[in-house]
Amino acid sequence: MSDSKDELKAVQAALAAEHAAVYGFGVVGGRIGEGRRAEARTAYDTHRARRDELQRAVRDLGGEPEPSAAAYALPFAVPDPAAAVRLATDLEERVAGVYSDLVRASTGARRGSAAEALRDAAVRAARWRGGSVTFPGLAERATRPDTSGSAAPKA
């Protein structure tokens, strides 16, 4: 059974990841090639909707939703469409990871919604990457390419 404090913490973490994803997909949209612009827009809209759902969930749990930062540090420079694709993949993998934690920390409908969000992020990451990973959302199971000099987005 989940503890409500753990669940609130996991919902806040998912909210922080969605804030960062919304910001990141703004960058992706500005750098992505025309052929994938609609895909980036759909991901942006999806992350905005999930962010809004999570803000309501935090309130439902008696918390105050963490606000978005004015800006986020990107994990690497995004000068071109290829880097934009890498960023989109990275954002989706990070989001999948926090939803994995939310699945673990929640029950009932919220757990089902978190599992759906995890699946959706994993599918989008696979599309951006051009292939899947064995355990989406589980950082300790995923093998990630070296992005030397990378820094995680501040959430």
Side-chain angles (χ1 to χ4, degrees):
M1 198 50 110
S2 78
D3 177 85
S4 63
K5 285 176 67 177
D6 289 341
E7 186 173 13
L8 177 57
K9 184 177 176 181
V11 172
Q12 288 279 30
L15 175 58
E18 289 293 9
H19 282 314
V22 168
Y23 178 88
F25 271 100
V27 173
V28 169
R31 303 287 196 292
I32 199 74
E34 185 64 38
R36 297 194 83 177
R37 192 159 289 141
E39 187 178 358
R41 178 62 179 188
T42 298
Y44 176 80
D45 290 342
T46 298
H47 288 294
R48 286 181 56 208
R50 293 231 190 255
R51 177 202 62 197
D52 295 348
E53 290 171 17
L54 289 165
Q55 288 173 327
R56 286 188 294 276
V58 168
R59 287 187 192 97
D60 289 348
L61 289 167
E64 183 62 32
E66 291 294 326
S68 175
Y72 292 83
L74 298 176
F76 47 84
V78 186
D80 56 33
V85 168
R86 286 193 315 275
L87 178 60
T89 303
D90 189 73
L91 291 167
E92 295 297 358
E93 288 173 346
R94 290 170 191 259
V95 167
V98 296
Y99 279 114
S100 176
D101 293 340
L102 183 54
V103 167
R104 184 173 41 250
S106 60
T107 60
R110 186 165 292 118
R111 181 180 224 167
S113 294
E116 180 181 330
L118 166 58
R119 182 196 68 225
D120 291 348
V123 167
R124 283 190 305 273
R127 286 183 182 143
W128 286 110
R129 181 185 315 100
S132 63
V133 295
T134 307
F135 296 101
L138 298 178
E140 63 273 15
R141 300 281 187 208
T143 55
R144 303 178 92 190
D146 180 22
T147 52
S148 297
S150 68
K154 295 176 186 170

